[in-house]
Amino acid sequence: MKKHPSMLVPQFIREIDPYIPSRPDHYLMEAYDIPVLHRLNNNENPLGPPPAALEAIRTLKPGEMAIYPSGDAFDLRCHMAERLGISPDQILCGNGANEIIQFVISAYCETGDNIITADKTFAVYEWVAEFSGVEARLTPMKNHGFDPEAMLAFMDERTKIFFICNPNNPTGTFWDRETLKNFLEAVDGRAMVVVDEAYCEFVDNVDFPDTLALLSEHPNLLIFRTFSKMYGLAGLRIGYLIGQKDPVFDICRTRIVYSINSAAQQAAMAAFGDKEHIAKTRRMVWESKYWLKSRLTAMGLTVIAGEGNYIIARLPFNDQIAYRKLIRKGYMVRTMTGFRYPNHIRVTLREKSLMESFAAALEEVLEERGCL
Ligand SMILES: Cc1ncc(COP(=O)(O)O)c(C=O)c1O
């Protein structure tokens, strides 16, 4: 008997609400009747990619587009490995760190297994686990940070992976060297420990752990990084994982080959470790962070600002209302209810002049709602 296609979808998948991405700028500008839209919602780098990466994209030869890219980003891995002082076999690249989350969950988890992360963090760990039929156990935060004791208390013999977002998106909190070391010792190789360092290049605090130095002692440690944030290559989709050779080999079993296009591989190679670009971006973020934090605090808002190129602020009303009011003024922020921070917005730290006009727009919204 014929079935409706939806009947072929497993029940647990049918229960998942698809993520709805925002519409393109031109669509939103027309819909909201605004001449310009400033995106402060995705923690991108407004300075874009380093000049060498732009040049790499510009000089991509037409012939290179007709052939498949390197299936395992061979040259890029060799280049990064040399600079990091590790073996290319310790690196696996993916179509953004998001894809790598999926590779890792597919490699280690089967039905009945679980992963553990926090309840107020980057949601993709939880989502990928769920649509992979794997339980996501979410521990409450402690002082807006991951709580190692709570995570260990949630562990059982079916726990395969811990996901720690360091620094955490959206709170900017981080585990220092000691906390991470103690956690790895307590886990004692019974599960994989993923430390997602998507924002590590923005970190100022000297206590931030050197995770590469912990790898030799902890074969269950996996480090995620991305070219989407500091390197301004979010549109090309490329991220990577670092670990010991054996786990990286195991994860290669579930990776999608050829998922990273040639432009992304070449741009990433040119961008990697560009000191000038990193210093310029960090200066911009640092200046905007301290300015915006004090401006929002002066408006009476509670602000959480740690490491990373974003801050979150608590509003005296619903974040969805704030989103709609702000987009009408040309600013797109990230609502935080989905991150389990109701009434909060997350704001990407961009050029100071833009932070100034954004703060003025937010002040108007607060005034319109009688909150000032
Ligand atoms: C903590 C964290 N990890 C991973 C990602 C995904 O990065 P990519 O663009 O490489 O998929 C993001 C993107 O926002 C992030 O915030």
Side-chain angles (χ1 to χ4, degrees):
M1 197 180 61
K2 260 194 192 172
K3 286 180 178 164
H4 186 279
S6 293
M7 299 309 291
L8 299 170
V9 178
Q11 181 60 30
F12 77 96
I13 297 286
R14 269 187 274 159
E15 283 167 12
I16 294 171
D17 291 325
Y19 176 81
I20 314 284
S22 63
R23 290 271 157 85
D25 287 14
H26 67 85
Y27 180 97
L28 293 169
M29 277 154 52
E30 199 179 322
Y32 290 102
D33 192 22
I34 46 175
V36 57
L37 177 65
H38 300 290
R39 284 190 177 255
L40 304 174
N41 62 326
N42 272 342
N43 303 339
E44 293 140 344
N45 186 345
L47 304 182
L54 289 175
E55 187 57 18
I57 298 163
R58 247 194 309 269
T59 53
L60 198 69
K61 296 177 194 69
E64 286 177 285
M65 298 179 206
I67 58 168
Y68 282 92
S70 165
D72 60 357
F74 184 82
D75 288 339
L76 173 62
R77 286 186 305 112
C78 290
H79 178 76
M80 291 196 290
E82 200 187 324
R83 287 179 155 232
L84 296 171
I86 59 176
S87 156
D89 295 337
Q90 291 184 258
I91 304 176
L92 187 154
C93 296
N95 188 268
N98 276 342
E99 190 183 54
I100 298 175
I101 296 171
Q102 174 138 37
F103 296 168
V104 172
I105 289 180
S106 306
Y108 289 101
C109 299
E110 56 188 315
T111 310
D113 288 340
N114 65 74
I115 63 117
I116 298 177
T117 188
D119 62 349
K120 291 168 179 157
T121 188
F122 187 56
V124 178
Y125 320 126
E126 177 189 341
W127 294 340
V128 176
E130 274 175 1
F131 68 62
S132 306
V134 170
E135 184 194 354
R137 297 185 174 180
L138 310 179
T139 59
M141 306 283 272
K142 196 172 171 185
N143 300 326
H144 302 299
F146 277 60
D147 179 353
E149 272 115 49
M151 294 184 85
L152 290 167
F154 272 38
M155 185 183 190
D156 65 15
E157 68 288 351
R158 298 302 301 264
T159 301
K160 289 292 184 66
I161 313 169
F162 288 95
F163 283 96
I164 295 132
C165 190
N166 215 41
N168 187 39
N169 170 12
T171 56
T173 50
F174 70 96
W175 280 3
D176 62 14
R177 205 173 298 120
E178 222 32 51
T179 310
L180 180 58
K181 253 181 107 215
N182 292 342
F183 184 77
L184 284 163
E185 270 154 31
V187 172
D188 196 24
R190 290 173 295 156
M192 301 305 289
V193 175
V194 168
V195 179
D196 183 346
E197 297 189 336
Y199 300 94
C200 65
E201 298 92 352
F202 294 94
V203 173
D204 288 317
N205 197 302
V206 291
D207 293 329
F208 191 73
D210 175 3
T211 34
L212 286 183
L214 295 168
L215 271 178
S216 60
E217 254 184 81
H218 299 285
N220 59 327
L221 172 62
L222 300 170
I223 303 156
F224 286 6
R225 293 187 184 163
T226 180
F227 285 91
S228 298
K229 307 299 176 183
M230 175 56 81
Y231 293 114
L233 290 170
L236 293 192
R237 312 300 302 125
I238 178 160
Y240 59 103
L241 164 157
I242 305 173
Q244 274 198 20
K245 279 185 196 175
D246 287 348
V248 170
F249 183 80
D250 283 329
I251 299 161
C252 281
R253 299 176 200 275
T254 61
R255 70 148 182 241
I256 306 288
V257 277
Y258 302 113
S259 72
I260 315 150
N261 66 69
S262 302
Q265 293 187 31
Q266 296 197 19
M269 196 146 117
F272 187 66
D274 186 321
K275 288 200 176 72
E276 212 178 306
H277 174 81
I278 294 175
K280 206 165 139 191
T281 305
R282 284 169 65 106
R283 260 199 311 277
M284 174 194 70
V285 168
W286 192 88
E287 190 186 22
S288 292
K289 186 181 296 178
Y290 290 97
W291 185 85
L292 190 62
K293 185 181 172 191
S294 64
R295 180 80 164 82
L296 298 186
T297 307
M299 288 182 208
L301 305 178
T302 304
V303 176
I304 306 171
E307 304 295 337
N309 62 341
Y310 44 83
I311 64 176
I312 61 176
R314 181 166 183 209
L315 304 175
F317 47 86
N318 182 278
D319 44 338
Q320 198 56 43
I321 294 175
Y323 174 91
R324 283 199 298 270
K325 294 257 176 205
L326 285 166
I327 205 165
R328 286 186 189 285
K329 294 178 189 289
Y331 300 92
M332 185 191 282
V333 294
R334 174 55 62 102
T335 54
M336 285 282 100
T337 295
F339 278 72
R340 302 187 177 89
Y341 272 108
N343 297 359
H344 287 67
I345 53 168
R346 190 189 65 200
V347 182
T348 302
L349 295 162
R350 300 189 40 170
E351 313 87 317
K352 182 151 167 274
S353 54
L354 189 62
M355 296 291 96
E356 286 167 358
S357 59
F358 162 71
L362 181 60
E363 193 165 39
E364 278 171 23
V365 172
L366 289 168
E367 270 163 11
E368 283 160 24
R369 307 245 349 141
C371 303
L372 276 182

